[in-house]
Amino acid sequence: MRSRAVAAAFLVVGIGLTGCAAAGDSAEPSTSPTLTADPPPTPSPTPLTPAEQAVQQVARMTVAEQAALVVMGTAPGTDAAALAGYVSAGPDGLILMGGNVPATPDELRSLTDTVHAASAQALIAIDQEGGDVRRMLWDELPSSYELKTAAPAETQAAFAARAGLLEAAGVDINFGIVADVPRTQDSFIFGRSYGTDPQAVADRVAAAAAGERGVVASTLKHFPGHGAAEGDSHSAIPTSVQTFAEWRAFDAIPFEAGIDAGAELVMTGHLRFPSIAAEPASLSPEWYRILREDLGFEGVAVTDDLGMLSSSGEAAYADPVANAVAAIAAGADLVLMVAGSTPETAGQIIVALEQRASTDAAFAERLAEAASRVLMLESAG
């Protein structure tokens, strides 16, 4: 700044001397060069953050395109062309169930390549916990059964190797890290958990997320904790009498550890905590607020399969399309639809989201926010 000021000062002085020479008969013409100020440099534009890029890209999309980003469904069979057609005609998200996985890794990679080619935004997910819950049967790596009594480093190694299998298969997201803390070995979720002590579970959840980090996107489930709400959420809405303080001191610990370890997704469960919210967590604005504000989660909140909620027997949740709209309104970023659905269900959800956004400005803003988060997840892959 000082050098430019000095140059400008010289310029003014030079002009003044020239004027004096013209006015006086005896003055000699100046032979000094005229100094000019350098033009101010053009500032370099500040690069956009990934979040800002995602927001800009979503703003250029139609509402229907935004809605397609936040829906993940499934279609039957291992016909790659059929699954690619499902994605290109409807949701950008595809979850692979057991019936979608061919017999060999090479066949699965061919299938996922075909699906990815059908949509630039396609995201492929799978439930690959290990042990009883695995879609790729050639994954013989340790499951929670062995890992709950092993050192956390063994969990990290197992999930790093598992992530390698998933990456080789062309899978983007693993719905594979169980962060629930069952109270006893008789719990519905015990066989898939990492034990009954919240800190021991937290250590293994964080290790699993660290193992998958940078290879596939990790998912923590089933927030806010299936261990607190006993019962099978495939056919009912398990309920817990816990207060918020009790939950925060126990069941929250593994989820917070997994978030701090970098997990990109958290799956919300169809679990009810009446002292905290009347709705199941998957449809509860309060639970999404807690996830964001109390646990500091900035990634993608995905619902558990909304078909399970429809099977709960509660009439208020019988319509999976209405459940999906309610979940996005509450704070979910990605809605999952498997049980009780047809290949047409995801398309129906997309239409319903578009219709709600066309008449509700606040919902349209919420939909764009959800789509931006999912797009960031896709871009990171």
Side-chain angles (χ1 to χ4, degrees):
M1 292 296 293
R2 183 177 181 277
S3 63
R4 287 188 199 152
V6 172
F10 274 120
L11 176 61
V12 172
V13 171
I15 293 172
L17 291 173
T18 302
C20 290
D25 292 338
S26 60
E28 295 182 3
S30 172
T31 59
S32 300
T34 301
L35 301 178
T36 58
D38 294 333
T42 303
S44 301
T46 303
L48 296 178
T49 66
E52 291 168 337
Q53 293 176 30
V55 168
Q56 285 193 0
Q57 189 170 344
V58 166
R60 293 191 292 267
M61 293 180 174
T62 66
V63 177
E65 289 170 336
Q66 294 176 13
L69 270 175
V70 305
V71 179
M72 178 172 282
T74 191
T78 58
D79 186 307
L83 293 173
Y86 173 73
V87 168
S88 62
D92 286 312
L94 175 70
I95 179 171
L96 298 176
M97 304 304 290
N100 299 125
V101 178
T104 69
D106 287 345
E107 289 176 297
L108 179 56
R109 183 54 190 250
S110 177
L111 183 154
T112 57
D113 283 347
T114 302
V115 171
H116 279 129
S119 169
Q121 289 9 296
L123 282 171
I124 300 175
I126 199 167
D127 288 301
Q128 198 71 17
E129 299 172 16
D132 291 341
V133 180
R134 57 188 175 129
R135 312 305 182 202
M136 293 167 24
L137 297 182
W138 54 87
D139 174 2
E140 297 181 351
L141 294 159
S143 69
S144 62
Y145 182 80
E146 298 90 3
L147 296 171
K148 61 166 53 77
T149 56
E154 293 189 37
T155 299
Q156 182 167 344
F159 273 83
R162 183 163 287 128
L165 292 178
L166 293 170
E167 182 184 42
V171 173
D172 305 298
I173 300 170
N174 187 17
F175 294 147
I177 304 177
V178 176
D180 305 311
V181 189
R183 299 312 190 257
T184 71
Q185 295 186 21
D186 296 326
S187 168
F188 158 77
I189 203 69
F190 178 78
R192 296 163 57 194
S193 77
Y194 291 94
T196 57
D197 176 76
Q199 190 56 57
V201 174
D203 292 343
R204 287 153 183 80
V205 165
E212 291 187 332
R213 184 71 176 164
V215 183
V216 295
S218 295
T219 308
L220 312 177
K221 60 186 185 184
H222 308 78
F223 183 83
H226 222 312
E230 293 289 0
D232 188 347
S233 58
H234 290 86
S235 56
I237 301 177
T239 299
S240 172
V241 298
Q242 270 193 333
T243 64
F244 176 77
E246 290 170 334
W247 172 82
R248 192 69 179 83
F250 199 92
D251 295 273
I253 293 173
F255 287 99
E256 191 165 33
I259 289 168
D260 290 346
E264 293 88 351
L265 298 96
V266 170
M267 179 179 285
T268 54
H270 310 311
L271 312 169
R272 183 180 278 127
F273 292 66
S275 69
I276 300 169
E279 313 92 341
S282 54
L283 304 183
S284 167
E286 178 62 9
W287 275 117
Y288 286 107
R289 185 200 67 76
I290 290 169
L291 178 62
R292 300 292 182 196
E293 296 181 13
D294 286 83
L295 300 191
F297 182 60
E298 298 179 352
V300 171
V302 56
T303 68
D304 204 347
D305 174 18
L306 292 172
M308 295 160 54
L309 192 58
S310 301
S311 302
S312 67
E314 296 194 21
Y317 308 119
D319 183 355
V321 175
N323 291 339
V325 175
I328 294 295
D333 303 309
L334 184 62
V335 291
L336 183 61
M337 190 66 221
V338 181
S341 67
T342 69
E344 290 71 41
T345 305
Q348 294 165 0
I349 292 173
I350 291 169
V351 170
L353 293 171
E354 185 180 12
Q355 290 175 342
R356 172 73 178 269
S358 69
T359 59
D360 184 338
F363 183 84
E365 185 176 345
R366 170 80 268 279
L367 176 62
E369 178 187 51
S372 296
R373 287 202 184 107
V374 176
L375 189 62
M376 279 185 63
L377 187 65
E378 192 279 331
S379 300

